[in-house]
């Protein structure tokens, strides 16, 4: 297993990709929107496209019915994210099937915490209209007011709660 | 002015979809290269034992910000045609707070959870499952929260619009802030050793 790249080097590479997105497609990166698209398709599969399209929170993700997510830019981008991450880890010998956790929790506790954290991020990203990709990075680099509100509130709340969650990570 | 390519007509809607996985590939590649597919490493940011998240995030933000600013200045990119997410002050502040707690507990954010899952980390899969559940919960409650969700709307506004200063001033301030942060990070790491 090889060492990670210098974080500043990885950051500049990531920034160049984000800049490339602005130049080529006229918008930035995202992640949570792709999840919302998949949830919309799942909802359409569960209750039928007509009923799902009548839901105001779901309808924007179903412009072309249940298969909309296959033509959603952010879903296709996120497939690329998984492939890029996989190839990078593969070439560096970092592919491992395992649960990564803090030293004082077991695998089951870690998986449960990851699920709960995911639920909170899902709800939070909906209210914020984006996550660390779509708001913090993309919006932040465009000096978007909402992007910077997200950066500030996200980090402040994580630091405030961190001492109470020490057992999870230290 | 030659960009954004989708706005100048150089790239059609099919082309736009075809480049999505390529751009995503670069995104995932650099997240993994920086070590951001590993929850304990990300969580280290919140205990100041590992400052990788801050370093990667802000060097990426500053790179893209400076690149976009200067490409606009020399006339290669029209920044007015680049989509700026709309601002909703209170819902985004509350959303950011809830997200922050989720990030701390989950140890991965939505993008990095995909990298973690794709490299075999099962906790990344759990974060993805949680995200999907959280979004479904939000959708179910939407009728009751729609008014709050749409409140305090400012439109596609930037910090420099609000402060009444030029974009260049804002870019310079953010760059100075990031460089100060990088210097502080280096100092903290020296003190720890």
């Amino acid at each position: 297993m090889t060492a990670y790249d210098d974080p500043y080097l990885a950051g500049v590479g990531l920034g160049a990709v984000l800049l490339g997105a602005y130049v080529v497609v006229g918008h930035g990166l995202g992640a949570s929107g792709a999840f919302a698209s998949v949830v919309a398709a799942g909802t359409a599969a569960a209750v039928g496209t007509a009923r799902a399209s009548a839901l105001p929170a779901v309808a924007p993700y179903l412009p072309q019915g249940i298969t909309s997510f296959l033509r959603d830019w952010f879903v296709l981008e996120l497939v690329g994210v998984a492939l890029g991450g996989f190839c990078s880890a593969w070439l560096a010998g970092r592919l491992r099937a395992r649960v990564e956790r803090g030293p004082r929790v077991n695998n089951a506790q870690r998986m449960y915490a990851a699920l709960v954290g995911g639920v909170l991020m899902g709800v939070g990203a909906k209210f914020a209209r984006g996550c660390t990709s779509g708001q913090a990075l993309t919006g932040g680099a465009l000096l978007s007011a909402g992007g910077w509100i997200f950066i500030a509130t996200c980090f402040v709340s994580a630091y405030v709660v961190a001492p109470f969650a020490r057992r999870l990570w230290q | 002015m030659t960009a954004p390519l989708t706005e100048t007509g150089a790239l059609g809607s099919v082309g736009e979809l075809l480049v999505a996985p390529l751009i995503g590939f670069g995104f995932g590649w650099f997240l993994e290269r920086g070590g951001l597919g590993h929850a304990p490493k990300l969580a280290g940011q919140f205990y100041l034992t590992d400052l990788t998240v801050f370093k990667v995030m802000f060097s990426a933000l500053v790179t893209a910000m400076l690149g976009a600013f200067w490409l606009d200045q020399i006339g290669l990119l029209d920044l007015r045609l680049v989509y700026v997410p709309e601002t909703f002050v209170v819902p985004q502040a509350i959303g950011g707070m809830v997200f922050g707690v989720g990030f701390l507990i989950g140890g991965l954010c939505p993008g990095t959870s995909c990298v973690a899952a794709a490299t075999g980390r099962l906790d990344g899969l759990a974060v993805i499952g949680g995200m999907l559940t959280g979004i479904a919960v939000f959708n179910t409650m939407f009728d009751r929260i729609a008014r709050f969700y749409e409140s305090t709307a400012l439109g596609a506004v930037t910090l420099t619009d609000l402060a009444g200063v030029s974009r260049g001033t804002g870019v310079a301030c953010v760059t100075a802030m990031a460089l100060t942060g990088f210097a502080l990070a280096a100092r903290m790491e020296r003190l720890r050793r």
Side-chain angles (χ1 to χ4, degrees):
Chain A
M1 183 170 133
T2 50
Y4 302 118
D5 285 4
D6 180 85
Y8 292 118
L9 198 65
V12 170
L14 192 55
V17 172
L18 175 56
L19 178 62
Y22 294 151
V23 169
V24 176
V25 295
H27 61 76
L29 307 169
S32 54
F35 287 85
S37 210
V38 171
V39 170
T43 309
V47 303
T49 308
R51 278 185 65 192
S53 297
L55 301 169
V58 177
Y61 296 97
L62 298 172
Q64 293 153 309
I66 192 166
T67 58
S68 299
F69 74 102
L70 297 172
R71 276 160 284 182
D72 182 320
W73 195 90
F74 292 100
V75 171
L76 298 176
E77 175 230 40
L78 213 59
V79 171
V81 168
L83 284 173
F86 175 85
C87 290
S88 169
W90 182 34
L91 292 175
R94 288 195 283 260
L95 292 176
R96 300 273 187 287
R98 56 177 292 201
V99 175
E100 288 190 316
R101 53 178 172 79
R104 287 198 287 158
V105 289
N106 61 34
N107 285 358
Q109 289 167 324
R110 164 66 187 132
M111 289 296 276
Y112 181 69
L115 192 71
V116 171
V119 171
L120 291 174
M121 282 189 286
V123 173
K126 283 306 290 181
F127 276 109
R129 292 152 169 90
C131 58
T132 13
S133 313
Q135 284 296 346
L137 269 183
T138 297
L142 295 170
L143 303 180
S144 152
W148 284 92
I149 290 171
F150 180 83
I151 294 175
T153 52
C154 171
F155 278 92
V156 166
S157 88
Y159 277 106
V160 168
V161 179
F164 304 102
R166 208 172 271 281
R167 210 182 95 85
L168 274 178
W169 299 114
Q170 292 195 310
Chain B
M1 196 266 294
T2 52
L5 300 185
T6 45
E7 298 291 330
T8 58
L11 192 70
S13 57
V14 173
E16 183 180 359
L17 287 181
L18 288 178
V19 297
L22 298 177
I23 290 174
F25 189 95
F27 186 20
W29 175 275
F30 286 113
L31 285 176
E32 206 288 327
R33 288 281 129 171
L36 295 189
H38 307 277
K41 198 166 172 62
L42 273 76
Q45 178 67 47
F46 303 118
Y47 298 97
L48 302 178
T49 52
D50 188 321
L51 305 179
T52 305
V53 169
F54 171 76
K55 291 177 182 175
V56 174
M57 195 166 150
F58 277 84
S59 50
L61 193 156
V62 168
T63 302
M65 178 186 69
L66 288 174
F69 177 75
W70 286 109
L71 288 180
D72 181 71
Q73 289 289 309
I74 61 175
L76 285 176
L77 169 72
D78 189 344
L79 256 183
R80 289 167 306 177
L81 298 178
V82 175
Y83 171 75
V84 176
E86 286 175 60
T87 295
F88 296 79
V89 179
V90 180
Q92 284 181 319
I94 301 292
M97 283 183 216
V98 174
F99 187 95
V101 176
F103 192 178
L104 170 75
I105 295 174
L108 296 159
C109 62
T112 51
S113 69
C114 291
V115 174
T119 55
R121 274 58 177 188
L122 301 171
D123 46 316
L125 275 181
V127 171
I128 290 174
M131 284 275 309
L132 296 172
T133 310
I135 290 168
V137 168
F138 175 93
N139 289 349
T140 315
M141 303 187 306
F142 190 72
D143 281 344
R144 270 166 286 171
I145 53 187
R147 265 189 63 194
F148 171 71
Y149 178 73
E150 301 290 350
S151 65
T152 55
L154 296 185
V157 72
T158 62
L159 292 178
T160 46
D161 294 336
L162 290 178
V165 298
S166 72
R167 188 174 192 94
T169 309
V171 167
C173 286
V174 171
T175 309
M177 207 178 74
L179 291 177
T180 309
F182 298 153
L184 283 174
R187 207 187 156 87
M188 279 174 58
E189 283 167 347
R190 263 200 311 277
L191 286 175
R192 200 173 290 277
R193 253 178 259 131

